[in-house]
Amino acid sequence: MRLQRTHRWPVVVLATIVTALTGACTSLGVGVSGGGVGVGVGVEAHPPPSATVAEQQVLMDRINKHRLAIGCRALTWDGRLATVARKHSEDMARRHYFSHVDPDGRDPGERLKAAGIGYRAAAENLAEGQSDGRDVYDDWIESPDHKENLENCDFTHLGIGISGRYWTLVLVKFS
């Protein structure tokens, strides 16, 4: 099945905005079922700074610890997904927006397809303003839609991208 270009995702769309009491942190999550078709290999040309790698690891460890506690398998890191996530975080930082759909109208499914990544199901969680992976995880686990994405046992792989105050998590079940 191909993910067809429309103004909204074809099957399940989950979105929520959660603002911390300070108003400084915002999170947004979305999930989709469908299939993108494509084959490709992404290489991260500019590795993230070591502090970013450490925060990605903290977030991934917390997500996987939670998934194991509820009976799901741990997610496997995928560099191609991390590249898609990082590029989206960088784009939000550079163009000053916070959304799953960029100012040019591209949604997460289109970004995955453009990267040559085929999938059966995918989800994306966003966060803005949190200082570390622990805070991002805590905000997502308190949000029903974000938590649903994290607890979806069908997902097998993840990638995390950070740019400044912008965080992007991409979860997939490959085709």
Side-chain angles (χ1 to χ4, degrees), residues 4-79:
Q4 296 179 358
R5 183 182 172 98
T6 62
H7 291 292
R8 53 184 217 134
W9 287 21
V11 184
V12 179
V13 176
L14 303 171
T16 188
I17 297 176
V18 177
T19 303
L21 293 177
T22 63
C25 300
T26 307
S27 298
L28 185 64
V30 65
V32 64
S33 294
V37 177
V39 177
V41 175
V43 176
E44 194 155 344
H46 305 288
S50 60
T52 300
V53 171
E55 289 306 322
Q56 289 171 321
Q57 188 68 50
V58 166
L59 183 53
M60 184 173 122
D61 289 348
R62 293 194 72 165
I63 291 168
N64 278 334
K65 182 179 179 182
H66 179 76
R67 287 174 59 87
L68 291 170
I70 64 165
C72 293
R73 291 181 300 169
L75 295 164
T76 302
W77 181 263
D78 187 280

Side-chain angles (χ1 to χ4, degrees), residues 38-156:
V39 177
V41 175
V43 176
E44 194 155 344
H46 305 288
S50 60
T52 300
V53 171
E55 289 306 322
Q56 289 171 321
Q57 188 68 50
V58 166
L59 183 53
M60 184 173 122
D61 289 348
R62 293 194 72 165
I63 291 168
N64 278 334
K65 182 179 179 182
H66 179 76
R67 287 174 59 87
L68 291 170
I70 64 165
C72 293
R73 291 181 300 169
L75 295 164
T76 302
W77 181 263
D78 187 280
R80 297 171 304 154
L81 298 177
T83 298
V84 170
R86 178 183 46 80
K87 287 180 177 181
H88 186 56
S89 289
E90 289 172 348
D91 188 49
M92 288 188 295
R94 184 178 58 255
R95 297 203 282 173
H96 308 289
Y97 71 95
F98 182 68
S99 176
H100 292 287
V101 179
D102 70 25
D104 301 318
R106 288 184 296 262
D107 65 33
E110 291 168 310
R111 289 191 291 277
L112 288 168
K113 184 178 177 181
I117 299 172
Y119 61 92
R120 274 197 187 281
E124 179 179 81
N125 282 0
L126 301 179
E128 178 188 16
Q130 293 80 350
S131 60
D132 58 31
R134 171 181 254 133
D135 289 343
V136 171
Y137 172 83
D138 290 345
D139 286 351
W140 284 344
I141 210 69
E142 293 298 320
S143 163
D145 291 339
H146 294 98
K147 185 176 181 180
E148 184 176 334
N149 287 340
L150 298 177
E151 292 182 347
N152 183 331
C153 294
D154 289 339
F155 293 130
T156 57

